[in-house]
């Protein structure tokens, strides 16, 4: 579909979503290189959609989610690259949360970014920044849990970040 109409921002956004799904499946089966390739295609498609429609919140959110998804793989192999990318995207994720404070997914995306930043600091042995990052993630996850108290995934991730703080 996209090959026939590469300038269609809507198709490119859908392609980004599908590449993200394919990457998740590849990652779950231990195919890290394939997952990264899917994510790179997804990032390219999402970035195209954002460039074509900068006010499209769904496209911006998808791009942020795919970049975070890629970082979940690369933080193990190359935490410095992941950290630089996360710190660059942090203001974008914060802006999206400010624009849509009721969007729990935006809050969780920012919380996950802070968790990933904490993981990168952990890999580097930078304990003060690691703890600070995890605390920021916990504050955001507490906010999300207050908004979705029956969501066990939100509670699970909150408890995990508390565990990270305790481990650090």
């Amino acid at each position: 579909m996209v090959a026939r109409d590469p300038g269609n921002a809507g198709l490119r956004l859908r392609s980004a979503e599908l590449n993200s799904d394919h990457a998740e499946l590849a990652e779950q089966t231990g195919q890290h290189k394939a997952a990264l390739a899917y994510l790179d295609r997804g990032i390219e498609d999402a970035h195209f959609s954002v460039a074509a429609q900068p006010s499209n919140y769904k496209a911006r959110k998808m791009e942020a989610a795919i970049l975070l998804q890629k970082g979940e793989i690369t933080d193990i192999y190359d935490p410095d690259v992941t950290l630089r990318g996360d710190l660059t995207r942090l203001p974008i994720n914060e802006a999206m949360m400010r624009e849509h404070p009721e969007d729990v997914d935006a809050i969780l995306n920012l919380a996950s970014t802070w968790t990933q930043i904490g993981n990168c600091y952990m890999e580097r042995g930078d304990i003060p920044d690691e703890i600070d990052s995890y605390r920021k993630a916990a504050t955001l996850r507490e906010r999300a849990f207050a908004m979705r108290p029956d969501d066990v995934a939100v509670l699970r991730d909150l408890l995990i970040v508390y565990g990270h703080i305790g481990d650090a």
Side-chain angles (χ1 to χ4, degrees):
M1 288 166 105
V2 173
R4 285 188 259 169
D5 192 4
N8 185 319
L11 285 177
R12 296 287 293 267
L13 183 58
R14 182 66 184 129
S15 176
E17 293 172 22
L18 292 172
N19 276 301
S20 172
D21 291 344
H22 283 105
E24 186 174 339
L25 289 172
E27 179 62 18
Q28 289 176 356
T29 58
Q31 300 172 51
H32 306 296
K33 287 183 181 180
L36 290 171
Y38 282 121
L39 291 171
D40 286 339
R41 286 193 296 272
I43 290 165
E44 182 181 321
D45 287 334
H47 185 71
F48 178 89
S49 295
V50 170
Q53 303 171 331
S55 63
N56 184 334
Y57 180 63
K58 183 178 178 183
R60 291 169 49 216
K61 198 163 122 174
M62 175 56 63
E63 182 179 38
I66 294 173
L67 289 165
L68 180 65
Q69 187 179 3
K70 183 175 180 179
E72 290 170 354
I73 297 172
T74 61
D75 72 351
I76 296 167
Y77 306 107
D78 199 343
D80 290 333
V81 168
T82 302
L83 181 60
R84 281 193 302 274
D86 286 342
L87 293 174
T88 299
R89 284 188 309 282
L90 196 57
I92 297 165
N93 291 339
E94 289 172 336
M96 285 193 305
M97 190 189 76
R98 278 192 308 274
E99 291 169 22
H100 300 275
E102 74 292 344
D103 185 351
V104 175
D105 293 331
I107 296 167
L108 292 173
N109 190 0
L110 182 57
S112 294
T113 301
W114 276 114
T115 299
Q116 194 164 273
I117 289 169
N119 293 343
C120 292
Y121 284 134
M122 177 193 64
E123 291 294 328
R124 294 170 69 175
D126 186 345
I127 295 171
D129 284 336
E130 174 189 358
I131 292 170
D132 183 55
S133 299
Y134 289 146
R135 284 185 175 151
K136 289 175 181 175
T139 299
L140 290 163
R141 291 191 185 287
E142 288 166 352
R143 180 175 167 190
F145 182 66
M147 296 169 78
R148 282 191 193 162
D150 296 328
D151 189 328
V152 293
V154 172
L155 177 59
R156 180 200 67 219
D157 289 345
L158 174 59
L159 295 174
I160 288 171
V161 81
Y162 285 157
H164 288 322
I165 293 168
D167 289 344

